[in-house]
Amino acid sequence: MRTDISEPELWEYRSAVEDPDGVDAFWARTLAEARAAGGEVAVRPVETPLRTLEVHDVTFPGFAGEPVRAWLRLPAPALRGGGPLPVLVEYVGYGGGRGAAEESLLWASAGFAHLQMDTRGQGSGWSRGDTPDTGTNGPQVPGVMTRGITSPETYYYRRLFTDAARAVDAVRTLDGLDPERVAVAGTSQGGGTAIAAAALVPDVAALAVEVPFLCDFPRALAITDADPFHEVTRYLATHREQVDLVMGVLAHVDGVVMARRGRAPARFSAALMDAVVPPSTVFGAFHAYGGPKEMAVYPFNGHEGGGTAEDLATLAFLRRHLGAGGV
Amino acid sequence: MRTDISEPELWEYRSAVEDPDGVDAFWARTLAEARAAGGEVAVRPVETPLRTLEVHDVTFPGFAGEPVRAWLRLPAPALRGGGPLPVLVEYVGYGGGRGAAEESLLWASAGFAHLQMDTRGQGSGWSRGDTPDTGTNGPQVPGVMTRGITSPETYYYRRLFTDAARAVDAVRTLDGLDPERVAVAGTSQGGGTAIAAAALVPDVAALAVEVPFLCDFPRALAITDADPFHEVTRYLATHREQVDLVMGVLAHVDGVVMARRGRAPARFSAALMDAVVPPSTVFGAFHAYGGPKEMAVYPFNGHEGGGTAEDLATLAFLRRHLGAGGV
Amino acid sequence: MRTDISEPELWEYRSAVEDPDGVDAFWARTLAEARAAGGEVAVRPVETPLRTLEVHDVTFPGFAGEPVRAWLRLPAPALRGGGPLPVLVEYVGYGGGRGAAEESLLWASAGFAHLQMDTRGQGSGWSRGDTPDTGTNGPQVPGVMTRGITSPETYYYRRLFTDAARAVDAVRTLDGLDPERVAVAGTSQGGGTAIAAAALVPDVAALAVEVPFLCDFPRALAITDADPFHEVTRYLATHREQVDLVMGVLAHVDGVVMARRGRAPARFSAALMDAVVPPSTVFGAFHAYGGPKEMAVYPFNGHEGGGTAEDLATLAFLRRHLGAGGV
Amino acid sequence: MRTDISEPELWEYRSAVEDPDGVDAFWARTLAEARAAGGEVAVRPVETPLRTLEVHDVTFPGFAGEPVRAWLRLPAPALRGGGPLPVLVEYVGYGGGRGAAEESLLWASAGFAHLQMDTRGQGSGWSRGDTPDTGTNGPQVPGVMTRGITSPETYYYRRLFTDAARAVDAVRTLDGLDPERVAVAGTSQGGGTAIAAAALVPDVAALAVEVPFLCDFPRALAITDADPFHEVTRYLATHREQVDLVMGVLAHVDGVVMARRGRAPARFSAALMDAVVPPSTVFGAFHAYGGPKEMAVYPFNGHEGGGTAEDLATLAFLRRHLGAGGV
Amino acid sequence: MRTDISEPELWEYRSAVEDPDGVDAFWARTLAEARAAGGEVAVRPVETPLRTLEVHDVTFPGFAGEPVRAWLRLPAPALRGGGPLPVLVEYVGYGGGRGAAEESLLWASAGFAHLQMDTRGQGSGWSRGDTPDTGTNGPQVPGVMTRGITSPETYYYRRLFTDAARAVDAVRTLDGLDPERVAVAGTSQGGGTAIAAAALVPDVAALAVEVPFLCDFPRALAITDADPFHEVTRYLATHREQVDLVMGVLAHVDGVVMARRGRAPARFSAALMDAVVPPSTVFGAFHAYGGPKEMAVYPFNGHEGGGTAEDLATLAFLRRHLGAGGV
Amino acid sequence: MRTDISEPELWEYRSAVEDPDGVDAFWARTLAEARAAGGEVAVRPVETPLRTLEVHDVTFPGFAGEPVRAWLRLPAPALRGGGPLPVLVEYVGYGGGRGAAEESLLWASAGFAHLQMDTRGQGSGWSRGDTPDTGTNGPQVPGVMTRGITSPETYYYRRLFTDAARAVDAVRTLDGLDPERVAVAGTSQGGGTAIAAAALVPDVAALAVEVPFLCDFPRALAITDADPFHEVTRYLATHREQVDLVMGVLAHVDGVVMARRGRAPARFSAALMDAVVPPSTVFGAFHAYGGPKEMAVYPFNGHEGGGTAEDLATLAFLRRHLGAGGV
């Protein structure tokens, strides 16, 4: 069952979300503070049973310089050519973390340096994480969607999106990786985070997002009852007088606002039977996106979206935009 | 449908939870540090449309001296006799906060000074809260059941239970309230918290708990799939290697362990069709309780338990143990 | 998720329900017969643990003079001023009854005489009742929505709405209450009943309804699958040939038809995510209402509506329209 | 999934339900009053498109002489031999009524006179009914399980079971039917009703019940959450103080108590995966049954039980006990 | 709740499904091959406890001449007049088979020869079957909706629809049945199959379908999540690249395409609250139907549709079009 | 919530399933016929974006010589040492197929030749397949659990298990793979299939199964309602008279019977909260297993079992039993 308007209508749909006042200054300041906070990028090899890949445990400075974890997976040295590797920085979906070192082998097996960033304070759901969130916890609905939601300064996604931008900064400092060929990517929350990273570090080489979450909040809240969007609904059901306040805060991280600031070549995908991320919210961000772009539509899929088929299409897209050298 | 063993079996059941090493020292140190942290008890009158009650907004120092909010509801001055009022300190259920000033009018309408303590970091679910939680947020399952669960030092309920004990300390400093006649009470999470308060401040005058949560974790996790107990299950499903660690941490706050340390006259209630708090876990705490005690059983109720009927029985119980003077 | 059309559309929406022929005569006759049937208003004090309120067990003659129960809660005598008290007559939601004497303390604590009318033949669900329904029980769907539904004469809500009107008559006879300052109010089924009471006794001083049920049946049946509206759907699924008959009977009690006959100042509220009472059905009655009116919209709430926030707004509304004297 | 104890355990299980004091006198008086109330048995031919059967609309005096409807289906005259027909009196399941004249054709097609009794006040669910219930409706849970449940005198099933016994009386007065060869039968509620009819009219020629409901209430309430048993649970959840009263009333109609009074040859069936009527409750009645008896067990069925297979086995059982003459 | 557009909109709606190229040749060839395959029609009397009907176990050659089972039910010889009987060929709903000989007695009891065709490879759900399906089983979703779906040649419904046409051929060869008065009928899948039979054997005397399934696939897949339509959705969610292929195959059996080819008088029915077969898909076929036609609408029913009421209306419709002789 | 008996009880539990008469002869004949049917093993390289692995599309002769597909994944040539590679033959879970060439990269990345066998006639659910099933399709419940279930000869799992054994035969013929070091493994249905493969080819080098399905049917059907076990229950609910027949057929493939015939070192795992595969059924097979064995228990997991943690433990187990040479 389609969960949203029809595909022809989606191509016409435009989100009504507007840029909040001062949003560029807000993010510029946030990012400047994070970069000013210093911190080292640490890379520690991990022993695994893998023979075709090597995995490193990376710690890099994220929001406010706080340490954030990631896995860096590389093809085995015998398979690496002379030049630096192209890089895929991946962000993960809601509730998960970076998982185990031995998971998520596709991207490095395809020849990329693959940095899989941990998600602060999540990572006990479908996959594990190792990075704590910081800041106090005001009254909130379980989950992170309403953590610190009464101000852009304290909102959870300010911290996560800053981590995401700083992950790009971090990989650009590492030997053997090509700082000119860094793509950002992700699925669902990871997709929304990648859009933000492409906005905050607009010179990334490519953006690839599958069924990206966190876009077009006002429409999403009106048309879906599925978590995690629904966490916000439940919060506003209790905090009835904060509707305008919360909507203003959400606009600071909304994927539609972020997409306007992206410049890299981008690939989006949406699924017409997706109840978790209604496709109109993806199209809302897609139409707003500021760089060259393409969209894949999966008419009979839910939130699983294009799955491996879309991963393979993403690999082809990345090869086109990052070049084959060194892969 | 009964969710647990039969009533005759419940009367025979004893929990297998043992006191963890050093649990008394752990709590003594925690409480000592909180008391040493200082902080003022602030009482600010609130304007409400109520004519028969007056309500005050209280802030008192809780865990580590951190400010915790509460409502203090009192009968209107014209109705108060000469002596100090007996006090009911109430803790609230999972997901809720102290709510609105105009809610929960029964206890003060019955003549008690009623302090309803806010629940740190909850309070956006069925009722609202105003008190943030502190500490970093490691990877966790949404909710508070697994926040900081890798150590007794960082576990959420260490902080909440300390708040609960300090709420008793706070009301004992207030004019017009009788420090000798302070009862602690609550339902579900509020009941588990009240058991902890009665353990940490064993000279309270009475303890009254309805379908108390947070007791007998090993049995609870084995026999119920209902949240919030199930949050722990989901955490352990992901963090498979932490089973012993987590069980050891939980024992520091388990209602069975806490109940052994209570000395005040106590009233418990359990419901035989309760899927959220299986009745054997309540009986586990009840049988372990260290003071005089009584138990009410509701054979056909779920987690709503005895409802108003049990509230009225609690009022009678409190009158017996706190005396009628000044009510 | 919004369960109905958008808020701008709701402001434009008008119900298609028309007045059935003879509806005014039908109700005039019904009410006249009830009043002619006689019967006493009995008021018996109840012993409760409450100190700030007194509660009376009231029996008054309702439909066909049949005895109907209610609680009358008053501020303690020491708090009552010289003049008569303003009165709030409240009707309760589907499945419930007047509950316990010690429940629902807000209105009397705010200074009103609060008559909480029992609901005939319900009162074993979320709260208890003490008043039987009468009349034979033809084939029906469980619940009261289709009890006697083959004729306006035998339909359940004819009896309940007559009780509601007679409750106003009853309080106007009681000492210490101000017959000029009687408001009618309720939530859900209680709201639909209050609209009917305001139609049948149009000189009440105010009407306040939260997410009122029983309005705009044809639209409601088409757009919701939630009980209790769905009881009617299930009846018509079995009794396929009675569609026109049943629709004609329902029009005699439809809140849209009733609202046209109200004259007192009125406050309505609707919730945009309400699946039990779709907001368009509330707006259908609101737009039809015959007196001065205001509407509160809760965009992120379901059938819980505005909760305490709306109760407080209702108290302010009542103070404006009933005056403060004697409260 | 088995919903109850294993089959070997079922053969050992005995119900703990005891006969309430005076139960025989209660039913003797009830039946005597019904018989004394008089009333005619009216038989009116119905025009149907059927060519192999003829159908009559029967009205007979039931509880307190109140008119009860039934269908009487007979093989077409050309197919009837010289002698009177054996009779099957059937009672129907919860929520249904006698349905349409053209439904339930098996028994008459097999050569029986088939009287299908309507169920007072039900008959708007899965099939239609035409017989109203009487008596006032105190506070109750939707459905009939708790209608009048505060006294054996007013309880719904007193009236229905009396109707059932009087249906046997009625068919025995009709020309062409053999009063010596009247069997009573039914499925689920119809089975429980048939057990009662066989107790109240112990000289019926046979009893055949499939997954009979209404047996062994205390065990049933403890082990199933399915309606209609669960209606009683919900009632007792609200009316907490009536547990003993209600259990005493239920014992007056419990199938275990009734079964002790049956004398006719009987066939029972039970399904081991039945969640609506747990098989132990059927075995409770079966083991208590006072006449010759057989039991069919369906190990992989739910409440649909043996379906047509059991109907055919019932036909064979009836042929054995009613003889073939005239069929 | 209505599951589709409103009734006025349904009367305006037209399906967008077009005839696939070569569809007539495809079916002509399929039918010719089946008829060329030969095979006998075998009729074997069955012993049953029925006295008013006789039942025969029929085997006839279906798709590719494969043996297909059916029940043939006839009024008892004593009730048959001189002339040949009119015939109703019935197809059954999804998941079921021809069931037991003693089930489904209405049509023969009303004087028709009733051939109830088994459904190949189904018949272990709500009723039993005895006919296997043939052909290999490529990767598919459980159920038959996607069996062989990659080509019109291998698709399951090619085989079933051919069986359906050959059932008409078969009854026309039997003694005592009137080959000029054969109607085809069915409910849900049986209705879709009957539409196909009326297309493939356009000289049948009448067509009667209740809530027919298998019509207007593109719309159905977009608007319902209910099985069995949803089986196709799940298949396409996995086989993302086969969307056009599968849509082309489905058009070969789509009830809209088939309906265009029917010529016999037809009766359709649709239910406005049907979530399994959305009413617009029925109207899509109805509006396309090529013969005289009538439509019954059930506004408050789900997939149970008109039930016995519609069966009786169908009997009247059949009497009008098949004549009364011999019935 | 635990779905079965406690862990201490699991260690004591023994399955009651006995070897059916002639089971060894049945399988010997089946396997001999398959081997006699001939057929080639074809290996075709697949172009993928992978750089660290190479993938081959394998077709080998399975049951009755029918072609079965598989993926063979190998470390890139530059990473392979001189000797032949150890081999892991993996079978997949219910509803899935071999998926895409670029999925399931762990085992080959860890240095194994990884043959992932397709599952005949499944493969349109959570992953895709390319291998059709054969044989006719008698009446069955959707899914494969009851396909051909009326005889061991025609039962689906006879064919699948034969494919599984023949996959081992096939890899032993391939260059560069070590025929002495072939392990069989799988999860859920893949685990049950691996147990069968280890029984049919008892000289495999190791067996590793996670939460294996298809073991101890009589107990499984009694204690779980979850599919796919429940498919059998639904079949028997309709085909009531086939209980003994079906139980006899199932015993020919039951994992308990198969396990008795295994001789290779084996690792099992079970999850105590697994509702799909109750842990007692796994222990039933484990205790019966005929070779050296170890068991991992996951107390807080459902059917996801040990996940990556267990995969890593399996890799260590395989290294111990297959040796490190050539990996």
Side-chain angles (χ1 to χ4, degrees), chain F:
Chain F
M1 183 169 70
R2 280 200 332 245
T3 55
D4 208 324
I5 51 182
S6 69
E7 188 172 343
E9 293 166 320
L10 290 168
W11 287 103
E12 297 305 314
Y13 172 78
R14 294 298 180 279
S15 168
V17 174
E18 298 185 358
D19 288 0
D21 288 347
V23 67
D24 288 308
F26 168 79
W27 281 111
R29 176 171 51 82
T30 297
L31 210 51
E33 289 171 3
R35 283 167 176 157
E40 293 296 301
V41 180
V43 179
R44 185 177 59 79
V46 182
E47 186 162 1
T48 74
L50 303 179
R51 295 294 178 266
T52 65
L53 302 174
E54 57 180 42
V55 188
H56 302 272
D57 188 348
V58 173
T59 305
F60 68 90
F63 175 80
E66 295 162 4
V68 176
R69 308 287 288 277
W71 296 123
L72 178 63
R73 298 185 184 94
L74 304 171
L79 298 170
R80 303 209 286 260
L85 289 170
V87 184
L88 183 76
V89 178
E90 187 192 15
Y91 311 107
V92 298
Y94 195 81
R98 63 175 181 168
E102 295 84 357
E103 294 170 349
S104 200
L105 306 182
L106 177 65
W107 308 104
S109 296
F112 286 84
H114 173 220
L115 187 95
Q116 186 172 21
M117 186 181 91
D118 206 9
T119 312
R120 54 170 60 223
Q122 299 187 29
S124 294
W126 53 273
S127 72
R128 303 182 44 163
D130 300 292
T131 304
D133 187 28
T134 53
T136 59
N137 296 292
Q140 63 156 105
V141 168
V144 301
M145 294 300 297
T146 62
R147 187 179 284 173
I149 201 170
T150 53
S151 159
E153 303 294 318
T154 57
Y155 189 40
Y156 173 83
Y157 282 103
R158 182 192 188 211
R159 298 190 293 278
L160 184 63
F161 287 1
T162 305
D163 293 348
R166 294 289 287 146
V168 176
D169 292 351
V171 295
R172 284 174 163 177
T173 68
L174 298 181
D175 285 346
L177 309 193
D178 187 343
E180 302 299 313
R181 292 194 294 157
V182 177
V184 289
T187 299
S188 194
Q189 175 185 261
T193 304
I195 292 171
L200 299 178
V201 192
D203 65 348
V204 292
L207 167 68
V209 293
E210 306 187 20
V211 290
F213 174 51
L214 298 168
C215 304
D216 209 352
F217 275 93
R219 178 168 174 84
L221 300 183
I223 65 173
T224 183
D225 260 358
D227 275 333
F229 272 126
H230 195 58
E231 291 180 23
V232 179
T233 300
R234 279 179 283 154
Y235 182 88
L236 291 173
T238 301
H239 300 274
R240 294 173 178 85
E241 80 294 352
Q242 296 184 7
V243 172
D244 291 344
L245 171 66
V246 164
M247 287 301 177
V249 172
L250 290 172
H252 286 76
V253 303
D254 194 304
V256 173
V257 173
M258 289 291 166
R260 289 189 186 116
R261 286 152 178 81
R263 295 295 174 265
R267 178 177 174 88
F268 285 67
S269 65
L272 301 194
M273 295 185 172
D274 189 341
V276 176
V277 170
S280 62
T281 67
V282 179
F283 273 83
F286 174 76
H287 289 310
Y289 188 72
K293 57 197 175 191
E294 63 188 54
M295 168 67 88
V297 174
Y298 292 92
F300 289 95
N301 285 92
H303 194 51
E304 76 283 359
T308 298
E310 178 62 19
D311 288 346
L312 296 176
T314 292
L315 279 173
F317 164 81
L318 294 174
R319 289 249 155 78
R320 285 200 302 278
H321 290 285
L322 274 66
V327 183

Side-chain angles (χ1 to χ4, degrees), chain C residues 159-326:
Chain C
R159 298 191 292 277
L160 183 64
F161 287 1
T162 305
D163 293 349
R166 295 289 288 148
V168 176
D169 292 352
V171 295
R172 284 176 163 174
T173 69
L174 297 181
D175 286 346
L177 310 193
D178 186 344
E180 302 299 312
R181 292 193 297 157
V182 178
V184 289
T187 298
S188 195
Q189 175 186 260
T193 305
I195 292 171
L200 299 178
V201 191
D203 65 349
V204 291
L207 166 69
V209 293
E210 306 188 20
V211 290
F213 175 51
L214 298 168
C215 305
D216 210 352
F217 276 93
R219 179 169 174 85
L221 299 183
I223 65 172
T224 184
D225 260 358
D227 275 334
F229 272 127
H230 196 58
E231 292 180 20
V232 179
T233 300
R234 279 180 282 153
Y235 182 89
L236 291 173
T238 300
H239 300 273
R240 294 174 179 84
E241 80 294 352
Q242 294 184 8
V243 171
D244 290 344
L245 171 66
V246 164
M247 287 301 176
V249 171
L250 290 172
H252 286 76
V253 304
D254 194 304
V256 173
V257 173
M258 289 291 168
R260 289 191 185 114
R261 286 152 178 81
R263 295 296 175 262
R267 179 178 174 89
F268 285 68
S269 65
L272 301 193
M273 296 185 171
D274 188 342
V276 176
V277 170
S280 62
T281 67
V282 179
F283 273 84
F286 173 76
H287 289 310
Y289 188 72
K293 57 198 173 189
E294 64 188 54
M295 167 68 87
V297 174
Y298 291 92
F300 291 94
N301 286 91
H303 194 51
E304 76 283 1
T308 298
E310 179 62 17
D311 289 345
L312 297 176
T314 292
L315 279 172
F317 165 80
L318 294 173
R319 289 248 156 77
R320 285 200 302 277
H321 290 286
L322 274 67

Side-chain angles (χ1 to χ4, degrees), chain A residues 220-225 230 232-234 236-238 240 243 247, chain C residues 1-3 273 298-302 304-310:
Chain A
L221 300 183
I223 66 173
T224 184
D225 260 357
H230 196 57
V232 179
T233 300
R234 279 179 281 153
L236 291 173
T238 301
R240 294 174 178 84
V243 171
M247 287 301 175
Chain C
M1 184 170 70
R2 281 201 329 247
T3 54
M273 296 185 171
Y298 291 92
F300 291 94
N301 286 91
E304 76 283 1
T308 298
E310 179 62 17

Side-chain angles (χ1 to χ4, degrees), chain B residues 50-191:
Chain B
L50 304 177
R51 296 294 178 263
T52 65
L53 302 174
E54 57 179 43
V55 188
H56 302 271
D57 187 348
V58 173
T59 305
F60 68 90
F63 175 80
E66 296 162 3
V68 176
R69 307 286 287 275
W71 297 124
L72 178 64
R73 299 186 184 93
L74 304 172
L79 298 170
R80 303 211 287 260
L85 289 170
V87 184
L88 184 76
V89 176
E90 187 191 16
Y91 312 106
V92 298
Y94 195 81
R98 63 174 181 169
E102 296 84 357
E103 294 171 348
S104 200
L105 307 183
L106 177 65
W107 309 104
S109 296
F112 286 84
H114 174 218
L115 187 94
Q116 186 172 20
M117 186 181 91
D118 206 8
T119 312
R120 53 170 60 224
Q122 299 187 30
S124 294
W126 54 273
S127 72
R128 301 181 45 164
D130 300 290
T131 305
D133 186 29
T134 52
T136 59
N137 297 290
Q140 63 157 104
V141 168
V144 301
M145 294 300 296
T146 62
R147 186 179 285 172
I149 201 170
T150 51
S151 159
E153 303 293 320
T154 56
Y155 189 39
Y156 174 82
Y157 283 103
R158 182 192 188 210
R159 297 190 293 277
L160 184 64
F161 287 0
T162 306
D163 293 348
R166 293 290 287 146
V168 175
D169 292 351
V171 294
R172 285 175 162 175
T173 68
L174 297 182
D175 285 347
L177 310 192
D178 186 343
E180 302 299 313
R181 292 193 296 156
V182 177
V184 289
T187 298
S188 194
Q189 176 186 261

Side-chain angles (χ1 to χ4, degrees), chain E residues 33-43 59-68 166 169-170 173-174:
Chain E
E33 290 172 2
R35 284 168 174 155
E40 293 295 300
V41 180
V43 178
T59 306
F60 68 90
F63 175 81
E66 296 162 3
V68 176
R166 294 289 288 147
D169 292 351
T173 69
L174 298 182

Side-chain angles (χ1 to χ4, degrees), chain C residues 2 5 8 12 15 28 38 45 48 50 82 85-86 96 170 176 179 198 205 212 247 258 292:
Chain C
R2 281 201 329 247
I5 51 181
E12 296 305 314
S15 168
T48 75
L50 303 179
L85 289 170
M247 287 301 176
M258 289 291 168

Side-chain angles (χ1 to χ4, degrees), chain A residues 74-91:
Chain A
L74 304 172
L79 297 170
R80 302 210 288 258
L85 289 170
V87 185
L88 183 76
V89 177
E90 188 192 15
Y91 312 107

